[in-house]
Amino acid sequence: MSCPQPAAQPQSELQSESESTAAVRSADVYLLFAHEPYHPGPGTKEINTTVVAADSLLHPLVRQPDGVRIHALLTRGRQPREIVPLATLTHELNGGADWPKTGDWEGVTADLMHLVRNQRCDALSLGLSTTARALVCTGPHSHVRAYDATTRAFITYGPAERATVLDEAGQFLTDLTAERPLWPGDALLPPLRHLP
């Protein structure tokens, strides 16, 4: 399934929004999550990470109300066309401690993979390197150490390299969506107006 979500430095806890303090939501946001690798066909590259439109979380075949609540968190205060790794949401949810109040991320991502594999929504499927995958599976301020057998030294990768991985995914997404946006699926549920 998805890679483990390590505890990260927590930000402030989510609070209920009121009409006067409602955060701006962006519909043009994407969720990136890692999963068990698979090969889509003979001779194809391994796929281990997927990007879906945020609105795919509103699909009726995704565990609900978990998908709707994760959608509210994902779209709150984001930049247009932003790709948000699942690990970033974990970081924002008090290092993962608040996932139980928000939703079952494992069940939701499994449901999203079912939609993708059965062509019930569009997705950008990626085959990230081990290091790149590790970077998107950690919080935005975390570091990943990798051993370089050539130099016999450990190399530390951090936020700058993570941003590069996300920028590269963003370029793939831009190319993929040049003619039409990612289709989130049909018969979508309405989004939450406020976080619970």
Side-chain angles (χ1 to χ4, degrees), residues 73-93:
L73 175 66
L74 178 66
T75 58
R76 183 173 140 232
R78 308 294 177 185
Q79 297 299 313
R81 303 200 53 78
E82 185 174 352
I83 297 174
V84 182
L86 183 66
T88 298
L89 299 182
T90 297
H91 173 79
E92 294 171 357
L93 288 169

Side-chain angles (χ1 to χ4, degrees), residues 161-174:
E161 291 81 10
R162 185 181 196 260
T164 299
V165 172
L166 293 175
D167 287 345
E168 290 172 359
Q171 187 56 56
F172 286 129
L173 184 64
T174 297

Side-chain angles (χ1 to χ4, degrees), residues 13 18 20 24 32 43 64 81 83 88 96 111 113-114 129 133 139 141 152 167 172 176 184 191-194:
E13 291 186 39
S18 68
S20 61
V24 175
L32 179 148
Q64 298 299 348
R81 303 200 53 78
I83 297 174
T88 298
D111 292 345
M113 277 310 301
H114 182 75
S129 70
R133 188 172 189 264
H141 307 295
R152 294 181 165 185
D167 287 345
F172 286 129
L176 180 67
L192 285 179
R193 292 178 57 89
H194 308 286

